[in-house]
């Protein structure tokens, strides 16, 4: 069948809209008619080849839509079901079987290599292969071939246009708090970088009962939004030494910190802004091979640093929880979202990356 897709053809290039051909779903696969897809920082890092997904490629990994067809063996979704698409995982390794799907050893080949594990791709253009299977979905298209593991069934009355970002960015920020750090009620946390991931973490921290929530960024507009969403304090890192300010305002350091920036010097500041036995989560996707430096004696005093992928979540469990929290008014992620028509994809990139006017851009198909 034919679909309309946004293709990155060269490193650093714009998205090119074109008609492509999709295979029928194979065993364990699902054909989804995409209603909307979020724009995530990871799409842009792959565009710039910080991760080696081969080009040309159809990206997009925060899709939501309606199941059109299913391949043999699919049992958890059926045609007509509304689904949110999340990351891909094998489902059979020890990590997956223990509920740690985000740490599946096959996570990188399944999500970033642009192919099925057998080397095939479900998308062609004019008879030539186009790399796809990005996060098991490649949802910058009107139709997507996803795996059953990618699909999270949601209610029939779900607002699909809003829900795609729950599959990655929003899940990542919220899950880093709710699943990984699990801050105690009354604790303090400093969040470095308040884009969509950081603001999702901030809302989750508020719902967890954190009493001191410190937002750090260089964008005054985003700091204002952070305050509206529950930050008790904001720090403009362009004018203030964030580490010194946090240590001072918390009487020795925050209980928790989180870095979303993927910048080594910011990560070090985050770690050193916590007190002895404080804990820091790092969620930003840096360029492959990026290294950072920490003072070993600083870590020796009980501090912890943990990496977090996809919010350490099981999507089929966590995404419905986030939807329920949003309905209850505890997680108003809709306040982060700006909507664009699919053919405005390059404008969405500019508003996300250059002007910062879009926190979470969502493309309507």
């Amino acid at each position: 069948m034919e679909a309309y897709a946004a293709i990155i053809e060269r490193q650093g290039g714009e998205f090119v809209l074109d008609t492509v051909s999709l295979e029928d779903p194979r065993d364990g696969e699902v054909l989804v008619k995409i209603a909307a897809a979020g724009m995530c920082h990871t799409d842009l890092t792959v565009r710039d080849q910080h991760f080696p997904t081969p080009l040309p490629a159809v990206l997009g990994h925060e899709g939501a839509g309606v199941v059109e067809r299913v391949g043999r063996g699919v049992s958890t979704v059926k045609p007509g079901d509304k689904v949110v698409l999340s990351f891909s995982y094998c489902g059979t390794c020890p990590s997956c079987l223990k509920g740690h799907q985000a740490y599946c050893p096959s996570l990188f080949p399944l999500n970033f290599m642009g192919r099925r594990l057998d080397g095939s791709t479900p998308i062609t253009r004019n008879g030539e292969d186009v790399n796809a299977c990005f996060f098991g979905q490649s949802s910058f298209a009107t139709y997507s071939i996803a795996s059953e593991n990618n699909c999270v069934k949601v209610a029939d009355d779900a607002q699909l246009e809003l829900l795609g970002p729950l599959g990655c960015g929003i899940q990542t920020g919220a899950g880093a708090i709710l699943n990984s750090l699990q801050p105690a009620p009354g604790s303090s946390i400093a969040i470095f970088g308040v884009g969509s991931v950081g603001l999702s973490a901030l809302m989750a921290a508020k719902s967890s009962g954190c009493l001191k929530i410190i937002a750090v960024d260089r964008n005054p507009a985003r700091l204002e939004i952070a305050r509206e969403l529950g930050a008790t304090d904001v720090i403009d890192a362009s004018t203030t030494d964030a580490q010194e300010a946090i240590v001072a305002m918390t009487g020795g350091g925050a209980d928790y910190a989180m870095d979303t920036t993927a910048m080594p010097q910011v990560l070090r500041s985050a770690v050193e802004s916590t007190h002895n036995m404080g804990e820091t989560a790092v969620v930003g996707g840096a360029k492959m091979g990026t290294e950072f430096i920490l003072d070993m004696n600083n870590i020796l005093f009980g501090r912890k640093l943990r990496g977090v992928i996809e919010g350490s979540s099981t999507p089929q469990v966590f995404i419905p929880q986030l939807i329920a929290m949003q309905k209850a008014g505890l997680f108003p992620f809709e306040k982060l979202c700006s909507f664009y028509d699919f053919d405005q994809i390059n404008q969405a990139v500019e508003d996300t990356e250059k002007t910062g006017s879009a926190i979470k851009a969502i493309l309507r198909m």
Side-chain angles (χ1 to χ4, degrees):
M1 67 171 296
E2 289 192 341
Y4 197 46
I7 303 170
I8 288 292
E9 299 181 329
R10 59 180 178 81
Q11 180 177 353
E14 289 191 339
F15 287 91
V16 176
L17 294 170
D18 205 349
T19 300
V20 298
S21 297
L22 266 68
E23 292 183 352
D24 291 333
R26 296 185 179 182
D27 295 359
E29 292 183 340
V30 179
L31 175 67
V32 179
K33 183 177 182 180
I34 300 296
M39 173 74 65
C40 180
H41 179 69
T42 304
D43 296 304
L44 305 182
T45 59
V46 169
R47 173 205 62 188
D48 295 336
Q49 292 291 276
H50 292 173
F51 291 151
T53 301
L55 304 179
V58 178
L59 305 180
H61 63 286
E62 293 182 344
V66 179
V67 175
E68 291 263 319
R69 275 180 279 167
V70 300
R72 290 187 304 174
V74 174
S75 61
T76 58
V77 295
K78 63 184 185 303
D81 285 346
K82 290 184 174 182
V83 292
V84 172
L85 302 181
S86 192
F87 62 94
S88 188
Y89 52 90
C90 78
T92 58
C93 69
S95 293
C96 288
L97 293 175
K98 292 176 183 177
H100 303 306
Q101 289 86 347
Y103 306 104
C104 172
S106 297
L107 195 78
F108 203 89
L110 284 170
N111 290 276
F112 287 97
M113 287 294 92
R115 302 274 168 157
R116 300 182 178 101
L117 293 182
D118 67 4
S120 65
T121 173
I123 296 180
T124 59
R125 178 177 54 168
N126 300 324
E128 299 290 331
D129 285 354
V130 176
N131 293 290
C133 304
F134 187 60
F135 278 69
Q137 56 180 282
S138 288
S139 54
F140 284 165
T142 51
Y143 288 89
S144 169
I145 293 289
S147 69
E148 184 177 15
N149 284 347
N150 282 71
C151 297
V152 180
K153 184 179 176 181
V154 295
D156 291 342
D157 63 353
Q159 187 181 351
L160 281 179
E161 289 189 348
L162 184 64
L163 298 184
L166 294 178
C168 185
I170 290 174
Q171 170 177 254
T172 295
I177 301 297
L178 299 175
N179 299 328
S180 295
L181 291 180
Q182 299 182 346
S187 57
S188 59
I189 185 168
I191 299 170
F192 288 71
V194 286
S196 62
V197 174
L199 290 171
S200 298
L202 188 154
M203 290 185 286
K206 181 181 179 182
S207 72
S208 297
C210 291
L211 290 186
K212 196 166 193 63
I213 303 173
I214 306 164
V216 183
D217 207 291
R218 292 176 174 269
N219 185 323
R222 293 197 172 182
L223 290 173
E224 184 58 34
I225 294 170
R227 195 181 289 278
E228 293 172 5
L229 292 174
T232 57
D233 302 271
V234 300
I235 297 173
D236 186 338
S238 65
T239 60
T240 303
D241 185 308
Q243 178 185 328
E244 289 184 1
I246 292 165
V247 171
M249 68 176 59
T250 56
D255 298 313
Y256 302 93
M258 178 173 164
D259 173 53
T260 73
T261 70
M263 299 174 65
Q265 67 273 28
V266 177
L267 175 56
R268 178 165 183 165
S269 292
V271 172
E272 295 182 354
S273 71
T274 63
H275 59 63
N276 293 354
M277 300 189 70
E279 186 170 359
T280 302
V282 54
V283 302
K287 184 176 181 179
M288 298 292 287
T290 299
E291 298 181 351
F292 64 92
I293 297 172
L294 292 176
D295 185 323
M296 290 180 65
N297 286 303
N298 193 296
I299 292 293
L300 191 65
F301 279 86
R303 290 179 176 85
K304 300 176 184 177
L305 173 63
R306 64 185 305 161
V308 180
I309 294 175
E310 292 290 350
S312 299
S313 72
T314 299
Q316 287 76 9
V317 175
F318 191 54
I319 288 174
Q321 291 174 343
L322 293 179
I323 293 171
M325 289 174 64
Q326 189 251 356
K327 287 184 176 180
L330 299 174
F331 190 69
F333 69 88
E334 71 278 1
K335 295 182 179 179
L336 310 182
C337 300
S338 303
F339 293 92
Y340 297 79
D341 293 336
F342 189 26
D343 61 7
Q344 296 177 297
I345 185 169
N346 290 307
Q347 184 64 54
V349 170
E350 182 173 348
D351 292 350
T352 298
E353 186 177 42
K354 295 181 180 179
T355 69
S357 58
I359 297 174
K360 173 54 67 176
I362 299 178
L363 303 168
R364 292 188 177 111
M365 304 305 173

